[in-house]
Structures are given as structure tokens and as C-alpha cells.
């Protein structure tokens, strides 16, 4: 992991993001708060570097310890899987494609050698903000502005190497058909590699919709105020294999198992809930291998 430089002495950036793009602030706030814990999970010092340059009331998000730890465990898990992909193929030329990169400094945290081409991709307004707040890492790095749902954007990415595609915190904000099309597009575009993403169970998505409706009658949740919410889920990670003949599930980690590190009351409750079979399927960190 590379260390962040001193925070630039300049005016802070205003945030004008709305909709799903604004949820990058939730992930950022979780990683910042994690660094202040006695036993940080991701210990992402780059998060604090970015947050200090932003003019935003992060307390308005209202993050619970369970949400913080779950997001940071997810991030740490994806970092570890990305490092494993790079280590297991260190004698080959590789590509890492980080979709919906937001303000995440994964390229800095993971680090990558001369054999790796790293590409970060997000929407134009996010990329514009990212360029102001995060320096580009050394090496073969490129930051692309565009939508992963735009086939022309995916088609513009070089496909001459095995590729690890990392998608964090996106799939449940888009329609099911879009999720399926994106998976097919990625598995078809690149010759081989890994597909790493997180998914939510459809039942949780439904519960969230009703919770949002109730909360909106009172004062509205932070996500409701951003104009976004969960849209779709995946009930059976194995069934995703049917979307492409070369797609195979390698690892599936239920979220509830990721919430037991720090011994707070919330974590003790989560650890007991994890024993219930139904709680194994709230959501998952998923890792697939694929060949086109």
C-alpha cells in the first residue's frame, strides 16, 4: 500500500453529486471512520486524504457501526481477491478494470507491477471530482469517464490480456436486466479473468423499498434524499453462471459473516444472526472466473 501525500493546502471541493453517484460518499465515510477505530478493518488512509479535501457534512449520512464494518470488510475482501489474482498471474501481462471506482484508492492500496494495466472507470461527474482529489498512481494507469452500461465504453477497453473486473457497490442500484447484460458484456469482451462484485438478495431489496416508503413519510433517509435506493438483487449466485458458458463461481461470502470483527453490541447481534440459515442470504461478496 502506498501512503498518501500531505493534504493539499487549497479550498475544499463542493459536492454536487446526486442519485447513485452520491453513494460514494457513504463508502468514503465508512472507510474514514474505520481508520479511527482501535482495530481498523481496511485502515484506508487514502480515505481520510480524500475526505479532508471535501466540503461535506459526513455526519448527515448517519452510519451505523454494522454498516461501517460491512462496507470495510467488503472493501478489504475485494482488495485481497485482487491481490490474489495479480500474485497468481505475476508472470503474465494483466489488466485490472475497476468499475464504479468512485473516490476509492484501490489502485494505491493494492499496488501493481509493471506487468499490470490498471483502468478505473466511472461516470463523467465522478471522474471530474476524482481528478481533483486523488493523484494517479505510478505505472500503466488510466482513468476513463463513461458508463459501464454503455457497450461502446466497454468495447473501448483493451482486451488483449487476462482481466480482473472489480465492481463494488453498483449491482443493486441498477435493474436486473442491466446486471445480466453487464456480466455478459464483460465475460464476452475479455479473453479470461475474474469477475468480482457484491450483490444483494432480492428479498432485502424488497424490504428496503418498503422501509424507504415508511421513512420518507417521516423525514426521509439519507439515500432517499439523494434520490437513490436498491433496485435489484441476486438470489442464487450459482445461477449467475448461466449468463455465460465460461463463467464459474469461485467464492461466495455472505455479508453477515463479515460483520463480526469488533466486539460492539451490533457485532455480537450480527454474529448470533449469522447462525440463522435465512441470514446467510442477505447479500454476498462474489468472485467468479470466466473465459470468453
Amino acid at each position: 500500500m502506498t501512503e498518501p501525500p500531505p493534504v493539499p493546502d487549497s479550498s475544499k471541493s463542493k459536492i454536487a453529486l446526486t442519485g447513485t453517484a452520491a453513494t460514494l460518499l457513504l463508502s468514503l465515510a465508512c472507510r474514514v471512520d474505520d481508520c479511527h477505530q482501535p482495530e481498523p478493518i481496511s485502515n484506508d488512509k487514502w480515505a481520510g486524504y480524500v475526505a479532508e479535501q471535501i466540503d461535506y457534512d459526513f455526519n448527515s449520512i448517519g452510519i451505523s457501526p454494522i454498516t461501517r464494518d460491512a462496507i470495510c470488510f467488503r472493501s478489504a475482501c475485494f482488495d485481497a481477491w485482487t491481490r490474489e489474482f495479480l500474485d497468481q498471474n505475476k508472470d503474465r501481462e494483466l489488466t485490472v478494470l475497476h468499475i464504479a471506482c468512485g473516490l476509492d484508492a484501490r489502485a494505491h492500496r493494492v499496488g501493481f507491477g509493471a506487468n499490470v494495466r490498471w483502468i478505473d472507470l466511472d461516470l463523467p461527474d465522478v471522474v471530474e471530482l476524482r481528478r481533483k482529489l486523488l493523484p494517479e498512481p505510478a505505472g500503466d494507469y488510466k482513468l476513463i469517464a463513461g458508463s459501464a452500461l454503455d457497450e461502446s465504453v466497454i468495447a473501448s477497453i483493451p482486451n488483449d490480456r487476462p482481466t480482473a473486473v472489480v465492481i463494488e457497490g453498483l449491482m443493486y442500484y441498477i435493474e436486473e436486466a442491466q446486471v445480466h447484460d453487464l456480466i455478459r458484456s464483460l465475460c464476452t469482451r475479455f479473453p479470461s479473468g475474474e469477475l468480482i462484485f457484491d450483490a444483494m438478495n432480492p428479498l432485502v431489496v424488497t424490504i428496503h423499498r418498503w422501509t424507504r416508503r415508511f421513512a420518507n413519510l417521516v423525514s426521509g433517509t439519507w439515500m432517499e434524499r439523494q434520490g437513490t435506493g436498491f433496485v435489484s438483487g441476486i438470489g442464487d449466485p450459482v445461477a449467475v453462471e448461466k449468463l455465460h458458458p465460461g463463467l464459474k463461481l469461485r467464492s461466495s461470502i455472505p455479508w453477515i459473516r463479515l460483520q463480526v470483527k469488533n466486539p460492539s453490541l451490533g457485532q455480537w447481534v450480527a454474529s448470533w444472526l449469522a447462525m440463522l440459515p435465512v441470514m446467510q442470504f442477505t447479500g454476498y461478496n462474489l468472485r467468479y472466473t470466466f473465459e470468453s
Side-chain angles (χ1 to χ4, degrees):
M1 176 190 294
T2 58
E3 294 290 324
V7 176
D9 186 12
S10 59
S11 60
K12 294 190 175 185
S13 297
K14 297 284 187 178
I15 297 295
L17 301 175
T18 59
T20 301
T23 61
L24 64 82
L25 295 169
L26 170 62
S27 299
L28 178 63
C30 287
R31 296 196 302 274
V32 170
D33 192 45
D34 172 66
C35 286
H36 297 148
Q37 302 307 309
E39 295 183 56
I41 297 167
S42 61
N43 197 28
D44 180 8
K45 297 178 181 178
W46 281 95
Y49 172 83
V50 172
E52 286 185 31
Q53 301 177 66
I54 295 176
D55 182 9
Y56 192 82
D57 179 15
F58 288 99
N59 291 328
S60 67
I61 300 176
I63 299 169
S64 70
I66 287 182
T67 297
R68 177 198 65 216
D69 285 5
I71 287 179
C72 290
F73 268 117
R74 179 187 68 185
S75 181
C77 176
F78 284 11
D79 284 358
W81 283 349
T82 305
R83 290 191 187 98
E84 284 182 16
F85 173 80
L86 298 181
D87 290 343
Q88 292 168 3
N89 298 278
K90 58 186 176 182
D91 296 327
R92 309 174 69 183
E93 291 190 329
L94 307 169
T95 296
V96 175
L97 172 59
H98 186 192
I99 293 177
C101 60
L103 298 177
D104 192 312
R106 174 160 284 120
H108 290 283
R109 293 197 308 271
V110 170
F112 57 96
N115 65 317
V116 178
R117 172 201 295 133
W118 191 291
I119 300 173
D120 280 339
L121 170 66
D122 214 317
L123 300 173
D125 53 349
V126 175
V127 167
E128 181 182 0
L129 180 63
R130 183 184 176 93
R131 291 191 191 280
K132 297 177 182 178
L133 304 177
L134 269 172
E136 293 189 356
D140 187 356
Y141 175 85
K142 188 174 183 179
L143 176 58
I144 297 178
S147 171
L149 303 181
D150 184 341
E151 290 189 7
S152 66
V153 172
I154 299 299
S156 70
I157 297 173
N159 63 345
D160 57 336
R161 304 176 179 184
T163 301
V165 182
V166 183
I167 312 173
E168 184 176 357
L170 172 64
M171 294 303 210
Y172 30 83
Y173 291 112
I174 61 178
E175 298 290 345
E176 181 180 18
Q178 294 175 312
V179 172
H180 292 178
D181 288 345
L182 178 57
I183 291 174
R184 292 190 190 100
S185 176
L186 294 168
C187 292
T188 302
R189 174 62 184 169
F190 304 108
S192 63
E194 295 191 4
L195 179 59
I196 298 168
F197 65 94
D198 53 325
M200 193 171 290
N201 189 284
L203 176 60
V204 177
V205 174
T206 300
I207 293 173
H208 173 75
R209 285 175 180 168
W210 284 103
T211 302
R212 283 178 61 200
R213 291 178 183 178
F214 174 76
N216 197 41
L217 291 175
V218 183
S219 61
T221 64
W222 180 84
M223 288 180 63
E224 185 72 26
R225 294 195 296 274
Q226 310 315 307
T228 189
F230 304 140
V231 175
S232 67
I234 292 176
D236 181 6
V238 176
V240 174
E241 295 179 345
K242 299 178 182 178
L243 296 176
H244 189 274
L247 189 64
K248 300 297 179 185
L249 179 65
R250 178 173 176 179
S251 299
S252 174
I253 303 179
W255 287 346
I256 197 71
R257 295 183 186 176
L258 304 177
Q259 301 175 356
V260 294
K261 181 178 175 64
N262 296 323
S264 66
L265 177 60
Q267 267 63 33
W268 282 115
V269 172
S271 67
W272 281 100
L273 289 175
M275 298 179 185
L276 302 176
V278 68
M279 293 304 295
Q280 300 296 317
F281 307 104
T282 54
Y284 327 81
N285 285 357
L286 301 173
R287 184 183 187 183
Y288 296 84
T289 58
F290 69 87
E291 294 181 359
S292 62

